Amino acid sequence: INRDPALNAALGEIQGAHITQANFDIVDESSFIVSPESSRVNPANGYVVPANFAQLNGIDGKHRKISIPIAIQPVLVGVPHEALLIQAGTPYQLTAWVNNASNQQVKWTLASGPGAVSESGLYTPPAAVTSPKPYVLTATAEADSSASSTVRGFVIPQGAIRIDVGSPTPFRDSRNNVWMADTLGVYSGSYANDNQTYPGSKWVGIQDAYLFGWNKYTWGDDIVYGPFVVPNGTYQVQFLFSENNCTGKFNTKRQFDGHLETGGVLALEANGKDTPFDVGKALDEECLKPTTGTVTATVTNHLLTVAVRATGSDAGHQAPFLSALAIVPK
């Protein structure tokens, strides 16, 4: 996940600390095991004592009341989505739950960014923005003011959502459409952003080649954007592709890094519904040729998540890539 800057900074700090095994104490956890085939925890493990153990049997069979330290479970606040891309003018009711407390109520506050949120969690973004605006919302448990969770993301412009995937800067196309920079965050595993916009001479005859010169590619992982908070309705989700880092023809069955393949059938997904798309066939295995895969999505709860997912098996696993993404109301 690259959504949360604080999380990225923390992971970077850990990586830079050069922590070794010598920095840890080894704990024997064998007393927790009930059986190797189960994830159950043995309650008589010597570390955590259930609260209902008020007395124990002595070796002579008699009950003796003893003082036992009780493991205290912390109050925790959870949210269904820790990041949301909310369109301007689309109010959204946030939800949260509380673990280890009978009082399930939380109080929502706006930590930073535009708009306003009620204590019950109704977030009202501004009516309009001209570019993405970051926000941070906090849900705090009434049962414990030290227990909280955050939802962060961006308020994005109304209308069609266009992202120049991989590009760190926005792009205005020949039809005057603005494509947002790919800095909103994405759910993905191993990936890289690739810039093949130079030299421009290789893209002669390709309209809006800058969109296809940038792309995001992975080593067999999915590329997932959202959830977007949008008005309910029907949307065309357009996935734009071009194999930009080659010349002439390319072979979709060319394998690398453990049976990964550069093309073939990908799954285009919108709100959990997959549509197979043979991107290699659509591109005619031709480098620098643009193509678009389109799926239709119906939104009924204001949430839309889209993805390019890998298909295949260990013998031939796809390595998804994407040049641009457009979500257009119908």
Side-chain angles (χ1 to χ4, degrees):
I1 299 172
N2 74 337
R3 292 173 176 271
D4 186 343
L7 174 60
N8 284 342
L11 292 175
E13 183 178 349
I14 293 171
Q15 183 180 17
H18 303 294
I19 298 171
T20 68
Q21 185 176 343
N23 298 109
F24 294 88
D25 292 325
I26 298 176
V27 177
D28 182 3
E29 296 182 348
S30 59
S31 63
F32 286 91
I33 299 173
V34 173
S35 76
E37 291 77 28
S38 170
S39 59
R40 292 175 56 208
V41 176
N42 178 10
N45 56 65
Y47 294 95
V48 179
V49 182
N52 61 352
F53 276 23
Q55 57 188 19
L56 295 177
N57 287 327
I59 58 175
D60 56 1
K62 295 181 179 180
H63 292 298
R64 290 184 176 88
K65 291 184 178 181
I66 59 175
S67 176
I68 299 175
I70 303 300
I72 299 175
Q73 299 296 319
V75 175
L76 300 172
V77 178
V79 293
H81 307 287
E82 76 278 8
L84 291 168
L85 301 173
I86 303 176
Q87 279 204 305
T90 307
Y92 184 68
Q93 179 62 54
L94 299 153
T95 59
W97 60 87
V98 181
N99 288 337
N100 305 318
S102 57
N103 185 351
Q104 291 288 297
Q105 299 301 311
V106 300
K107 178 182 178 181
W108 286 91
T109 55
L110 179 65
S112 64
V117 66
S118 68
E119 291 188 1
S120 61
L122 179 61
Y123 177 62
T124 304
V129 295
T130 57
S131 61
K133 305 297 181 184
Y135 72 86
V136 179
L137 298 161
T138 303
T140 303
E142 287 189 357
D144 183 350
S145 60
S146 67
S148 65
S149 188
T150 59
V151 175
R152 66 183 68 236
F154 292 87
V155 178
I156 59 177
Q158 292 175 302
I161 299 169
R162 295 182 173 88
I163 301 173
D164 187 1
V165 172
S167 174
T169 57
F171 172 68
R172 187 180 296 273
D173 67 20
S174 57
R175 297 183 179 181
N176 210 33
N177 296 316
V178 176
W179 298 73
M180 292 182 289
D182 192 9
T183 55
L184 302 175
V186 59
Y187 280 113
S188 182
S190 54
Y191 74 89
N193 294 328
D194 188 25
N195 179 14
Q196 296 293 326
T197 59
Y198 181 86
S201 57
K202 70 180 181 180
W203 293 96
V204 171
I206 306 298
Q207 191 175 41
D208 297 320
Y210 189 86
L211 282 178
F212 300 97
W214 281 100
N215 74 11
K216 188 185 297 293
Y217 65 91
T218 79
W219 286 268
D221 295 301
D222 301 333
I223 302 173
V224 185
Y225 284 92
F228 298 92
V229 175
V230 296
N232 288 335
T234 304
Y235 293 82
Q236 274 196 340
V237 184
Q238 301 168 353
F239 301 85
L240 283 64
F241 300 92
S242 179
E243 184 60 61
N244 63 9
N245 193 13
C246 64
T247 57
K249 291 280 188 176
F250 68 93
N251 181 4
T252 60
K253 298 300 181 183
R254 181 180 65 85
Q255 294 189 339
F256 61 98
D257 287 354
H259 305 295
L260 291 178
E261 296 178 0
T262 56
V265 179
L266 299 169
L268 307 184
E269 181 183 300
N271 275 1
K273 182 179 179 181
D274 290 341
T275 300
F277 182 71
D278 192 332
V279 64
K281 182 178 180 180
L283 293 171
D284 296 324
E285 299 188 8
E286 187 77 38
C287 298
L288 308 180
K289 176 183 176 180
T291 192
T292 301
T294 303
V295 299
T296 300
T298 300
V299 177
T300 59
N301 63 351
H302 294 291
L303 296 178
L304 175 59
T305 300
V306 301
V308 179
R309 299 201 183 275
T311 64
S313 64
D314 290 341
H317 190 69
Q318 305 305 323
F321 66 99
L322 184 64
S323 299
L325 174 70
I327 301 171
V328 182
K330 290 187 70 175

